[in-house]
Amino acid sequence: MSVFSFWEEQRKNVTRSYLLIFFFVILMGGFGFLIDYFFETGPWFTVVFLGVALIQVLVGVLSGPSLVLSSVGARPINPLDPEHKQLENIINEMGIASGLKPLPKIYYIPGEKSINAFATGLKSENAYICVTEGLLEALNREETQGVIAHELSHIYNKDMLYMTLLSAILGAVVIIQVMAFRGAWLVARTGGGRSRRDSSGCAYAIVFLIVVGLLATIFAFLGRILLFAVSRQREYLADAKAAEFTRNPQGLASALRKIALTAGKVQNASIATAHLFISDPLKRKVNEKEGFFANLFSTHPPIYKRIARLEGKSPEQVLMELEQ
Amino acid sequence: MIALWIVLGLIVLILIWGIATYNGFMVLKRRIENAWAQIDVQLKRRYDLIPNLVNSVKGYMKYEQETLNKVVDARAKAVSAQTIPDKIQAEGALTQALRGLLAVVENYPDLKASEEVSTLMEELRNTENLISFARQFYNDNVMTYNTKLSIFPANVVGNMFAFKPATFWEIAAAEEREAPKVDLTKL
């Protein structure tokens, strides 16, 4: 496979991701506009939605990687340990290969026996790559190099920024959904005790809030599907980029094979952090299945498809090899 | 009058484009120089590492004197190389000699067990990778620069300011491409 095909793959992925984000923003705008249009509420809903979205984005951007790192129990590596020293060397190598400066800091999850890794941080000045202890034990130098290149690509491509913005917007929709249903319930409870005169106004407000809530539910659902789609595209892109950096697609492919054949889940990973990892840390069945629903709801592409792309084989053949 | 303005506007646009293109070439040229300097840093690191490595494995590898001598000779040649083609040639030979040493060390369990040696070996492997990735990064940048320099209309600006195509760091010695062979009959 030539170098150029990696670049092509990457460009295609970037375009697709931009399109997805564009689509998401249109959806959000459309949501605010729909409410304002049908209920003649002026610009108020748009303003409130934007305010909620802004707060979400700020919280996402400001809370930073330390929260994620502490939630999985990660610690800085110790360069005196030969295995950790090797990891540090590999990161330096990938820094030279990618030209990325400054390099991310390296953490590991002690006692975590599954094979996995993730990157976090919106800017390379404040980025972290974290691996499990199991990864250090199970993977050889070339395989580790492939995984680190994959994680570095996420930072290089500013994937965390896209993902954080997307999940912030999604969070905003969920907040609106909850607020609307709570509001409807509140009006129903307090409004019931008042005089007959107000009851039609009350009913109107309840119907209005329920409609808003239902709309938000639909948009949260669509938004989640989009978020997953972006997440999957980003994984393919990081694989392609890792192959470009290392010029050794086999290293990452072989690491993915080892990951596919081990069963362990990452103990402290949650749904909130799952999309960060190189392969689904929860080992959810949906991520390895094919079909319409599996395609919509998985954070990661099926691992055999990723291996197939890296090795230039057909997915069916890789699946057969893995099942042996 | 309108025609004059159109002509003036076109001249300004072309000037702006010319300046932007010129700056683009300068940025790429600096990046190439920087990448070259990075290779140099790694090569020096390798020169410093080799004497330590040779000293620490010498005791274990009495029957591999030839492999060790090859490394020491290749290092001396690389350090003294003056011109860039000579340098590229000598570094290629050194890389080849070191790969031979790495492959031989795999056959000495005592050696691999020694913490000092395994630390040095990891350092060597790291340095070898840093050199090849630095070279890869350098060559990628040279390719971008040379491509831009040869494509119309940017090449007009390039020729006007006499930008020269940069040289790729080719892998000079053919044997450097080959996987190192290990002679198992000696053991």
Side-chain angles (χ1 to χ4, degrees):
Chain A
M1 209 186 276
S2 81
V3 177
F4 287 97
S5 69
F6 293 132
W7 286 344
E8 218 169 89
E9 182 87 356
Q10 177 198 336
R11 203 171 40 234
K12 253 189 340 211
N13 277 319
V14 169
T15 319
R16 264 189 233 136
S17 300
Y18 276 124
L19 274 176
L20 286 171
I21 288 174
F22 178 73
F23 190 40
F24 203 178
V25 171
I26 295 275
L27 274 181
M28 279 300 293
F31 179 45
F33 181 76
L34 271 180
I35 295 172
D36 277 343
Y37 182 78
F38 280 113
F39 299 99
E40 291 168 356
T41 44
W44 291 111
F45 272 86
T46 324
V47 169
V48 168
F49 288 175
L50 283 179
V52 170
L54 196 70
I55 291 167
Q56 278 286 307
V57 169
L58 281 179
V59 167
V61 170
L62 294 178
S63 63
S66 53
L67 202 68
V68 178
L69 288 171
S70 64
S71 82
V72 293
R75 294 220 198 99
I77 56 160
N78 167 24
L80 294 176
D81 180 317
E83 205 133 35
H84 292 184
K85 177 71 187 144
Q86 189 182 61
L87 186 64
E88 192 179 80
N89 287 346
I90 289 172
I91 300 238
N92 286 333
E93 289 162 19
M94 288 300 100
I96 297 261
S98 64
L100 186 75
K101 261 182 236 172
L103 285 173
K105 288 158 214 73
I106 322 155
Y107 276 56
Y108 79 114
I109 310 177
E112 176 56 63
K113 293 296 167 199
S114 62
I115 308 171
N116 225 319
F118 70 87
T120 178
L122 303 184
K123 294 178 294 182
S124 61
E125 294 84 45
N126 187 27
Y128 296 82
I129 287 178
C130 180
V131 302
T132 60
E133 199 178 327
L135 180 137
L136 290 175
E137 282 165 9
L139 300 191
N140 68 28
R141 204 179 193 287
E142 274 185 33
E143 291 159 351
T144 310
Q145 195 182 49
V147 171
I148 294 298
H150 171 101
E151 296 307 333
L152 205 71
S153 308
H154 278 313
I155 297 168
Y156 188 91
N157 293 326
K158 299 203 184 299
D159 286 352
M160 306 310 140
L161 188 62
Y162 290 126
M163 296 300 290
T164 307
L165 286 176
L166 279 183
S167 27
I169 297 168
L170 192 60
V173 180
V174 173
I175 287 179
I176 287 162
Q177 174 196 352
V178 171
M179 271 181 357
F181 283 136
R182 287 250 172 98
W185 186 70
L186 208 69
V187 171
R189 215 180 55 169
T190 56
R194 288 193 194 160
S195 66
R196 288 248 164 122
R197 220 159 23 115
D198 290 344
S199 63
S200 71
C202 256
Y204 181 74
I206 291 171
V207 169
F208 174 68
L209 286 168
I210 286 178
V211 169
V212 170
L214 285 177
L215 274 178
T217 311
I218 293 167
F219 277 91
F221 178 75
L222 291 177
R224 187 148 303 169
I225 288 174
L226 278 174
L227 184 70
F228 289 154
V230 173
S231 175
R232 290 192 303 269
Q233 281 306 332
R234 290 281 140 189
E235 290 305 317
Y236 278 133
L237 174 55
D239 285 350
K241 198 91 185 144
E244 185 204 315
F245 288 155
T246 58
R247 304 287 149 102
N248 178 17
Q250 196 50 54
L252 179 57
S254 146
L256 288 175
R257 276 173 187 270
K258 281 191 183 167
I259 291 172
L261 295 174
T262 50
K265 293 177 186 176
V266 178
Q267 283 163 13
N268 292 317
S270 67
I271 297 170
T273 50
H275 66 268
L276 293 173
F277 284 85
I278 188 168
S279 83
D280 182 18
L282 309 173
K283 292 265 174 189
R284 286 166 291 190
K285 281 275 183 292
V286 72
N287 276 335
E288 292 312 320
K289 280 194 182 138
E290 273 301 289
F292 183 69
F293 283 104
N295 280 340
L296 287 182
F297 293 105
S298 47
T299 50
H300 292 71
I303 215 160
Y304 70 88
K305 279 197 163 178
R306 297 170 63 187
I307 297 169
R309 285 199 184 190
L310 285 165
E311 293 181 346
K313 291 179 181 168
S314 75
E316 294 76 29
Q317 193 188 342
V318 174
L319 198 59
M320 227 170 62
E321 285 167 13
L322 284 176
E323 276 166 0
Q324 271 168 8
Chain B
M1 198 56 189
I2 289 174
L4 184 70
W5 281 115
I6 290 175
V7 169
L8 271 178
L10 275 178
I11 290 174
V12 169
L13 277 182
I14 289 172
L15 267 178
I16 292 175
W17 170 80
I19 292 169
T21 312
Y22 176 84
N23 285 341
F25 278 127
M26 285 312 275
V27 166
L28 280 172
K29 226 177 133 179
R30 290 279 163 278
R31 205 182 285 167
I32 288 170
E33 279 163 16
N34 193 19
W36 181 266
Q38 189 60 251
I39 297 178
D40 239 26
V41 170
Q42 302 311 334
L43 291 178
K44 291 217 172 62
R45 191 184 133 111
R46 178 156 81 169
Y47 299 151
D48 297 342
L49 200 62
I50 290 170
N52 284 336
L53 183 73
V54 169
N55 277 334
S56 66
V57 299
K58 214 159 49 184
Y60 299 90
M61 301 172 73
K62 292 192 183 68
Y63 308 107
E64 304 288 351
Q65 218 48 65
E66 199 192 337
T67 316
L68 288 176
N69 285 342
K70 256 193 206 161
V71 172
V72 173
D73 292 347
R75 175 185 178 271
K77 265 187 204 149
V79 171
S80 62
Q82 292 300 326
T83 64
I84 287 177
D86 279 358
K87 186 108 182 149
I88 291 175
Q89 168 87 39
E91 291 297 343
L94 180 54
T95 299
Q96 182 59 22
L98 282 172
R99 282 194 193 159
L101 179 61
L102 278 174
V104 164
V105 166
E106 289 294 312
N107 298 322
Y108 286 77
D110 296 358
L111 253 182
K112 274 167 72 185
S114 149
E115 198 172 310
E116 191 199 353
V117 173
S118 72
T119 308
L120 277 167
M121 281 299 167
E122 169 53 30
E123 284 305 298
L124 182 62
R125 209 160 281 144
N126 178 223
T127 309
E128 290 302 302
N129 284 346
L130 286 173
I131 290 170
S132 78
F133 285 126
R135 187 168 61 191
Q136 173 182 309
F137 188 63
Y138 170 83
N139 280 343
D140 285 353
N141 280 314
V142 167
M143 193 178 74
T144 313
Y145 172 79
N146 285 356
T147 309
K148 202 177 167 190
L149 206 54
S150 63
I151 285 178
F152 183 81
N155 65 350
V156 177
V157 177
N159 288 333
M160 204 186 291
F161 293 96
F163 282 104
K164 296 266 176 305
T167 325
F168 284 99
W169 179 297
E170 306 272 9
I171 297 174
E175 70 262 25
E176 202 191 322
R177 292 175 193 274
E178 290 169 18
K181 292 183 195 75
V182 185
D183 192 355
L184 293 171
T185 53
K186 276 189 199 161
L187 299 167

